[in-house]
Each structure stands twice: as C-alpha cells, then as structure tokens.
Amino acid sequence: MKLRIDGGRLLDLTDGSLTPASVLVDAVRGVVVAIGTDLPEADLVISLRGEVLLPGFIDVHVHLRDPGFEAKETLATGTRAAAAGGYTQVACMPNTKPPLDTPERVRDVQLRAQGLAARVHPVACITQGQAGEALTDFEALRAAGAIALSDDGRGVQHSGLMREALARAARAGLPVAIHAEDEALSGGGALDPAAARRLGVSASAPEAETAMIARDLVLAEATGAHLHVCHVSTATAVSLIRWAKARGIRVTAEVTPHHLLLDEGVIDRPDAVFKVNPPLRTAQDREACLAGFLDGTLDLVATDHAPHTAEEKARGLSEAPFGMVGLETAFPLLYTHLVETGRMRLEQLVRRMSTDPARHFGLGGGVLRPGGRADITAVDLEHTRRVDPATFHSKGRNTPFAGWPLRGWPVLTICEGRVTHTAAYEMTQGEARR
Ligand code: DOR
C-alpha cells in the first residue's frame, strides 16, 4: 500500500528554502520511499495546495490523564489532539491514577496506546507514588519502555533523594525531567506575585522554581546525569541554564508556548483559564524566555498540555487545578507570533519542535527524508483561522488563546505512514480533493 502526497512544498531544515515536491510513503512499513517530482503511482494520493511539508512534531511533555482521570482526557482523545496539532509523537507524564511508577503500568500505557493517532512514550515516576520518599526501579522502568523520569506536577523536595535519583538515572541512561518547585517557597500559590496581589489570591514566588533549578543543575554536575528542565518560566532560570551549559553540565530545557507569548499582565479577571504551574510570570521573564529560546539556551518547545474539565476550571482561581491545553494550538501560535513577526525562522522553529526533541530524547523521526520514518505534517501558512476550543479533539477546552487569529494550522498529519489527521480533505482512491 503506497500513499503519495502531491502539491506540497518541502522545507529544507538547513537553509529554510521551500521546494515543490511530492512524497511517496510505504504505508505498511511506515517509511518514506521517495521525495521529488514524477514519483510512481500510488494507491492513495493526497493533493495539497502548496502547504508546507515538515517532519511530524514531537512533544516531550503532555498529560494524557489515562489511567484515572478519563473525564479530563484519554489516550485516544489526547493522541487525536496531538495529531490535529501536527504531532506524531508525545511523551506522557506519569501523574495519572495510579501513577506510572512500575514497569507494568508503563507497559499498560504503551500497549493501550498502540495504533492510536500518535506514538506515545511514557515518562515514569522518579519516586514511588510521586510521594517524594522512595525511588522507583529505574532500570526496570527503562526496560519497560520509559523514555525519561519525572515527578511532574511536583518537585522532589528532598535534596539527598534527588542526588541519588540523578546518580541512578545516569547509570540507567535515562534523562530526569524536573518540575522545579520548592514547595516551602511556592506555598502552592495560584499566580505570580504581582497578579496574585491584583486579584487577591495566594502567590507562587518565582524563587520556588529557580532555587530548585539551581540545586538540580549542581546535582547534575556532581552525578553526570542528563537533567531536563521542564517548563522554564523565569529570567533567572534562563540565566542559570545558560551558565550550566557554558560549564558543560548535561542539561536540556523546554519552554511552553504560553510562557513565550503570555505574561501575568494578561490576567485581567479571576478566571482559572490563566492558572498554570509554573505561573505566567512578568513581561521581563517572558522576554528572557524568548531570548533563551532564540539563542538555544532553551532547547525545545513542549506544551505541558494539561486538560481539565470545565467544572474543575470553574472552581475559581484558588480552587481550580493548574494547567492549560496546548497540543492543538502550539505550532500556529508560534508560527504566527514568532516566525511571521520575524523573530525566528521557520526552519528554526521546526527543528525545536521536531528534530531536537527526537535527538535529545533518543526518539526516531524528526527529519523528513527517503528511508526515514513516515512521520509528516503539512501546515497551511496562508489562511487565518481563530482558535475555537469547541472544535478541539482534546476533552480539555482550557486555553487562554480562544479567539486568537492564527496561521500555520496543520491540515494533514501522517504517523508511521497512517493518516492521523486531515482538515477538510476528502480522500478517494487515487485522488484527494479539498
Ligand atoms: O499547570 C500544570 N498542570 N503544571 C503542572 O506541572 C502539572 C499539570 C497538570 O498535571 O495538570
């Protein structure tokens, strides 16, 4: 079974040039057979209209909520949301119920995710039950398929335990993805201090994040572990990571679209749609995150896709859970606000959303080339559409970007040769028309 995609333009990730090209895919083996013009006949042809062909995006930080919180999201709905956002691979965080802290639970997610709309890589817990007291069995979790370790949603509070975790992770060859939050400093507060004062709720101080990042960078140096810093949000954190990289510490870092594009100044009402952890910080922090992203201090875009039910988010700023959905809007947001505004080049953004996550986490994909995996995303750079949460495939509608006019919407996603998302395309044997 062969699939041919005609009418697209191929982005060269080294120089940013766009070349009209077709792509021939072996849908059974899930590989790209050829890229070029005058390709052979295929069983199915999809005709694009000048959309840009990219390697499928990879998000190393999503919450699929399954098992245990299926009212928020399931493996099926979360991977459909991923595909709609142009993603072909996602790493799911282990703060499920039960948490992913045993090899059996890691394998269960992998098995149930097979054949869904994106490849799912489980991240396993650092500590049993994410309780911060006893380490999990890293070797066994790795053998079961975990690609990283994290207690995401909580930081590991005990420094001695964290040092032991990093030493063992280095031996097991697994990155440790940290949710940096010293709870003695954050106090579980809802918003960054200025916004918290304005809206009369408890504050989460930025030093709660930066102090733990500083600690863990020092511990990564002492142990040789690969430290991955999740959702960086402060200017000080960016400086610390820049310092650590210059020193040769093995650290990678991610930034979310919301921390790049929003700051606490947007919070003009007591609406929990703005409540996320770490919080939206100051304009100066946002600019520093952007500068860090542009100069490569922050390596990757990750969404921290965190779906919650409407009822949960209606509980008000103090009581509602932290989190925003992100999978279905990440690329259009960053394309429109960073590439179209001239702050970053398209190929640079695509590398940060595809090639680099694949490389840093040892995943396949991340490049579009003959012989490579058929993980492909076609994006429409011409048409503007507003973010409409009612159309999301995710169960979560909790986005602060509703109504934003954006370009760069994914129109076609192919994961290992399977069509996982089409927007307004009608496919027929041998032909497809919009
Ligand atoms: O906003 C957040 N939501 N931050 C986290 O660290 C956890 C996540 C969740 O699980 O809802």
Side-chain angles (χ1 to χ4, degrees), residues 63 65 95 152-153 179 231 276-278 304 306 308 322-324:
H63 296 273
R65 306 298 194 205
N95 57 342
D152 187 56
H179 172 109
H231 40 52
V276 66
N277 195 11
D304 193 8
H308 294 291
F322 292 96
M324 298 172 173

Side-chain angles (χ1 to χ4, degrees), residues 63-288:
H63 296 273
L64 298 181
R65 306 298 194 205
D66 185 348
F69 300 108
E70 290 86 354
K72 298 175 194 269
E73 195 78 292
T74 65
L75 295 175
T77 58
T79 53
R80 274 207 297 277
Y87 287 91
T88 51
Q89 304 191 63
V90 294
C92 62
M93 285 296 172
N95 57 342
T96 49
K97 201 165 94 192
L100 306 183
D101 60 359
T102 65
E104 293 72 26
R105 290 171 184 169
V106 166
R107 260 187 236 110
D108 168 65
V109 166
Q110 274 189 323
L111 283 175
R112 289 190 298 113
Q114 269 175 23
L116 296 181
R119 196 174 308 108
V120 174
H121 303 286
V123 175
C125 300
I126 302 171
T127 67
Q128 295 172 27
Q130 293 197 304
E133 285 162 14
L135 299 181
T136 54
D137 183 343
F138 297 176
E139 302 279 350
L141 292 165
R142 185 190 173 154
I147 61 146
L149 299 161
S150 183
D151 272 1
D152 187 56
R154 292 197 66 187
V156 175
Q157 304 300 306
H158 193 293
S159 305
L161 190 70
M162 191 58 178
R163 183 175 59 188
E164 180 63 20
L166 288 163
R168 284 201 207 174
R171 287 199 291 276
L174 283 173
V176 178
I178 58 161
H179 172 109
E181 179 178 355
D182 183 324
E183 290 167 10
L185 298 174
S186 74
L191 301 176
D192 199 56
R197 263 194 310 278
R198 217 167 47 239
L199 288 139
V201 295
S202 61
S204 176
E207 55 269 26
E209 174 182 344
T210 48
M212 193 173 274
I213 292 175
R215 179 197 76 175
D216 289 353
L217 289 169
V218 169
L219 295 179
E221 181 169 42
T223 56
H226 172 187
L227 186 77
H228 177 73
V229 185
C230 294
H231 40 52
V232 173
S233 74
T234 70
T236 310
V238 176
S239 301
L240 287 168
I241 294 164
R242 196 175 281 126
W243 165 83
K245 287 189 166 183
R247 215 172 142 84
I249 296 174
R250 219 173 141 210
V251 57
T252 51
E254 66 187 40
V255 65
T256 66
H258 48 272
H259 289 115
L260 287 173
L261 300 182
L262 301 177
D263 55 58
E264 58 82 21
V266 301
I267 310 176
D268 56 358
R269 57 188 192 278
D271 186 339
V273 77
F274 298 115
K275 182 174 176 182
V276 66
N277 195 11
L280 301 177
R281 302 290 191 190
T282 65
Q284 187 216 345
D285 288 314
R286 179 176 52 72
E287 275 299 331

Side-chain angles (χ1 to χ4, degrees), residues 293-294 343-352:
F293 183 51
L294 295 178
R343 301 201 75 162
M344 151 171 242
R345 294 176 57 85
L346 175 60
E347 67 274 18
Q348 200 183 2
L349 176 60
V350 172
R351 284 200 301 267
R352 302 301 183 77

